[in-house]
Amino acid sequence: MVEVVVGADGVPRCVWAAVEPETTYHDTEWGFPLSGDTALFERVCLEGFQSGLSWRTILTKRENFRKAFSGFDIPTVARFSDADVTRLLGDAGIVRHRGKIEASINNARRAEELIDSEGSLEAFFWRYAPAPDHEPGSMTTSPESVALSKDLKKRGWRFVGPTTMFALMQAAGMVNDHSFDCAIREKVAAAIAAHPRP
């Protein structure tokens, strides 16, 4: 079972959320259901950029990423050119990794195709939401994240491995991975229960 840490405010939280900016992210975003294609696309991109890095790095640069990637508007990012890749590689406010930048642009184009065929990213991704029956913090992948990764890769998406997709599921409210003793767990559970499945 995942341990908790009690903050100066007396609130027990998942151990990784002991300090800012992780604390606010943990309390207000992580595990709460995401709605809308733009929000999901942003999270897919940021989880891809996080691969091999700490989430703190991404959190501290998130507003820079939003500015650099035009708010993660899918049609806009899908039209990014080689000049945009060069611009992004010169932007010190983001993670300057050519493979991840090019993957985000590619994934915007694949997202447009997926929306055309499936109706929305939201409908497609939530199809893979796992049953809530595992010990929090006990997994880094799941059968569902493996299946989602495989399906996305088959459709041409990149930087969407099973571990990255499980991190997406944790962050986007498809699975509640807050510790049983975390004060936020029940709030997230209620939000997930109330979230209309697309």
Side-chain angles (χ1 to χ4, degrees), residues 16-17 19-22 25 30 43 45-62 65 93-95 100 164 167:
W16 60 266
V19 295
E20 293 292 357
E22 289 91 339
Y25 172 71
W30 193 70
R43 195 55 57 87
C45 291
L46 293 182
E47 294 292 352
F49 273 103
Q50 187 272 333
S51 180
L53 303 171
S54 74
W55 184 243
R56 168 177 282 256
T57 299
I58 303 304
L59 273 181
T60 57
K61 294 176 178 284
R62 183 160 57 163
F65 272 109
I94 67 168
V95 174
K100 294 176 181 181
T164 299

Side-chain angles (χ1 to χ4, degrees), residues 99-186:
K100 294 176 181 181
I101 289 167
E102 291 178 344
S104 295
I105 297 167
N106 168 76
N107 291 349
R109 295 168 184 163
R110 305 294 77 80
E112 289 188 317
E113 295 167 357
L114 195 150
I115 290 166
D116 284 344
S117 66
E118 305 293 332
S120 71
L121 294 187
E122 190 174 2
F124 177 80
F125 277 88
W126 277 89
R127 185 183 307 160
Y128 290 91
D133 61 356
H134 74 281
E135 182 83 11
S138 66
M139 301 163 61
T140 56
T141 65
S142 69
E144 294 85 359
S145 77
V146 171
L148 173 59
S149 171
K150 192 176 295 186
D151 199 347
L152 288 171
K153 287 178 179 178
K154 188 170 62 178
R155 294 166 184 262
W157 291 60
R158 290 159 36 197
F159 277 91
V160 290
T163 301
T164 299
M165 289 302 93
F166 190 71
L168 171 77
M169 290 174 170
Q170 292 171 305
M174 296 175 197
V175 59
N176 186 355
D177 236 19
H178 285 271
S179 170
F180 288 129
D181 295 326
C182 174
I184 309 303
R185 181 175 176 82
E186 290 308 313

